[in-house]
Amino acid sequence: MAEKPESTPDGSRRNRREYGSGVSNDTAGKENSHPEAEKMIEEAVERENMLRAYRRVVANRGSAGVDGMRVDQLEGELKTHWREMKEKLIEGTYRPQPVKRVEIPKPGGSGKRQLGIPTVTDRLIQQALMQVLTPIFDPGFSEHSYGFRPKRSAHQAVEKAREYMEAGYRWVVDIDLEKFFDRVNHDMLMARVARKVKDKRVLKLIRMYLQAGIMEEGVVKASREGTPQGGPLSPLLSNIILDDLDKELEKRGHRFTRYADDCNIYVKSQRAGERVLESVSRFIEKKLKLKVNLSKSAVDRPWLRKFLGYSVTAHKKPLLRVAPQSVLRLKGKIKAVLRSARGWSIGRTIDTLNPLLRGWYQYYSLAETKNVFRELDSWLRRRLRVILWRQWKRPRTRMKRLVARGLTEAHARLCAYNGRGPWWNAGAQHMNFAFPKRYFDELGMFSLLDKFSSVHVIS
């Protein structure tokens, strides 16, 4: 009998395939039980766990690895080779492939961040491992750790930081770990994993993922340290190694928040902050074998720093605001979209921009000052008016368009032949009159300020 199709994260319909044997398909929302100490790999490759991992990998999409296989090819690969892969995993003979090195710009344009992209198959296996390891390690993590954990978020970390400031801790020790994901000591990390994982096949597999190597320009380079960003296991492994830092800060009684390798400690004076920065840096470098970037780390006022894209005002009761660097980063993304949208209609351009604007607002919806949203809305409308002005090209066409939008012929002629550039004209009165906010609203443009105003009452 044909199997009943199920909905996938991308909305398509697809038949269920056998990734294991004899396990129920009813996996939605179901938590893994703790596996027996010596049978963790069997728990990882069980059908229900593999189905959950498969759905997650498909939903996340992502680039192809060194073998060139795309996410949409994973189902066919599993139909052909899964039984063989499963056998190798259980026997402890599976060998991961090297990761593919890619570079992405860092926020604010401060260089590039290196990512290691595993093959789609290795992403699936890492995801399956992560799903059985998380219930074992996560309950023991610090309540001050918020990154890449179930039911925890960057918003919670930002809110907790603001609580510390309201309580009078108005100096921040902002610790930057230099190339954290590239410097993790494999032996130290594996020793911490082995505290709770007794299945030697799992330990061997994790170490092989750490040492799989990096392919760059067709050459595979050995990995002697680090856990490459890009694989599902890396966030969990980073929390495992940095949990020692969390426990040390708790033992010292510090008020802190940590999101992955981004750690802020809140104190009451600059002098106290300088002592904390020195002693904590010493602990990180001696005990964890990691390096603190002293040029980027600082003791400062929170309103002069950013944390997870947010900053605060200097009021007695601090208000959350979007950090200036985050605004610049959004503008850079918008400019990139507009460059690729040359020749498009304004309606199509707006439809392309809206998902970006909605996602950005969703993340920065904690902000309590609206000036940045007003400024961004105004700036974006001006950028769109630039597109219109350029599309018209000739002064005669510009004059006709302005007349059609309600200007008198004399006024339109004066504006069309003024000799000024597109940016100046886009901000001038004639273009604001011809294409007011209402025009863009009618085309469905997402307004950051309108969204803010609908859920906030602070001016």
Side-chain angles (χ1 to χ4, degrees), residues 169-173 252 254 265-280 298-300:
Y169 296 84
R170 296 171 70 82
W171 287 87
V172 62
V173 182
R252 298 184 186 190
H254 287 310
I265 306 168
Y266 295 87
V267 295
K268 288 191 172 181
S269 70
Q270 183 177 9
R271 186 174 179 184
E274 289 169 352
R275 288 199 303 269
V276 169
L277 178 59
E278 182 181 353
S279 63
V280 171
V299 177
D300 209 342

Side-chain angles (χ1 to χ4, degrees), residues 26-298:
D26 185 16
T27 64
K30 189 173 180 181
E31 293 291 333
N32 282 303
S33 58
H34 284 219
E36 296 178 27
E38 299 296 333
K39 295 185 178 180
M40 188 177 293
I41 197 69
E42 282 81 2
E43 178 79 6
V45 299
E46 277 184 352
R47 176 172 177 145
E48 65 175 281
N49 190 60
M50 293 305 302
L51 281 170
R52 288 177 57 210
Y54 172 80
R55 294 187 190 108
R56 178 58 64 89
V57 169
V58 170
N60 288 344
R61 303 189 183 190
S63 304
V66 296
D67 62 354
M69 188 172 78
R70 305 184 308 272
V71 171
D72 60 6
Q73 297 173 305
L74 178 58
E75 184 180 17
E77 175 73 7
L78 293 174
K79 281 170 30 179
T80 306
H81 297 294
W82 170 243
R83 291 186 183 279
E84 178 187 349
M85 282 190 283
K86 179 181 177 181
E87 214 171 279
K88 288 182 178 180
L89 287 165
I90 291 174
E91 293 174 354
T93 59
Y94 179 82
R95 294 290 183 271
Q97 295 192 61
V99 298
K100 178 181 174 182
R101 170 63 56 81
V102 297
E103 293 183 337
I104 60 171
K106 287 185 178 180
S110 57
K112 292 186 177 181
R113 175 178 286 119
Q114 294 183 333
L115 298 183
I117 307 300
T119 65
V120 176
T121 302
D122 282 325
R123 292 209 292 273
L124 175 72
I125 296 169
Q126 285 194 35
Q127 179 68 31
L129 279 176
M130 189 272 290
Q131 289 168 184
V132 298
L133 290 170
T134 295
I136 296 171
F137 284 95
D138 192 79
F141 288 154
S142 167
E143 64 176 295
H144 304 282
S145 167
Y146 295 91
F148 308 109
R149 296 183 59 192
K151 299 180 181 178
R152 289 187 161 248
S153 68
H155 279 187
Q156 292 172 329
V158 170
E159 291 278 24
K160 178 58 70 173
R162 197 249 299 269
E163 285 180 26
Y164 293 143
M165 295 175 225
E166 288 183 359
Y169 296 84
R170 296 171 70 82
W171 287 87
V172 62
V173 182
D174 187 350
I175 297 177
D176 183 271
L177 298 179
E178 185 175 297
K179 296 183 178 179
F180 166 71
F181 287 93
D182 296 331
R183 293 183 181 274
V184 172
N185 183 284
H186 289 173
D187 291 336
M188 294 188 69
L189 173 57
M190 291 308 303
R192 283 153 178 77
V193 174
R195 291 171 184 172
K196 296 187 177 182
V197 174
K198 303 305 176 186
D199 189 329
K200 293 181 180 179
R201 294 166 299 176
V202 171
L203 295 174
K204 178 183 176 183
L205 183 57
I206 293 173
R207 186 176 279 276
M208 283 196 295
Y209 273 121
L210 293 173
Q211 298 178 341
I214 297 168
M215 181 172 284
E216 196 169 11
E217 297 180 354
V219 178
V220 176
K221 300 178 181 178
S223 304
R224 294 183 175 84
E225 61 180 4
T227 168
Q229 289 177 274
L233 263 180
S234 287
L236 176 61
L237 297 178
S238 70
N239 277 331
I240 290 172
I241 195 75
L242 289 175
D243 189 56
D244 282 19
L245 172 61
D246 297 339
K247 296 300 192 291
E248 178 67 17
L249 295 177
E250 287 175 347
K251 186 172 73 174
R252 298 184 186 190
H254 287 310
R255 288 152 181 83
F256 71 98
T257 58
R258 182 179 66 78
Y259 192 96
D261 59 332
D262 202 341
C263 183
N264 277 7
I265 306 168
Y266 295 87
V267 295
K268 288 191 172 181
S269 70
Q270 183 177 9
R271 186 174 179 184
E274 289 169 352
R275 288 199 303 269
V276 169
L277 178 59
E278 182 181 353
S279 63
V280 171
S281 297
R282 190 161 53 245
F283 173 85
I284 290 171
E285 297 192 353
K286 288 188 176 181
K287 299 294 185 180
L288 301 183
K289 308 300 182 187
L290 297 169
K291 186 170 178 59
V292 175
N293 188 335
L294 294 177
S295 66
K296 293 185 178 179
S297 301

Side-chain angles (χ1 to χ4, degrees), residues 318-336:
L319 300 178
L320 292 173
R321 63 186 181 91
V322 182
Q325 300 94 319
S326 303
V327 175
L328 290 175
R329 189 181 184 193
L330 175 64
K331 286 185 173 181
K333 290 182 177 180
I334 290 173
K335 288 177 181 177

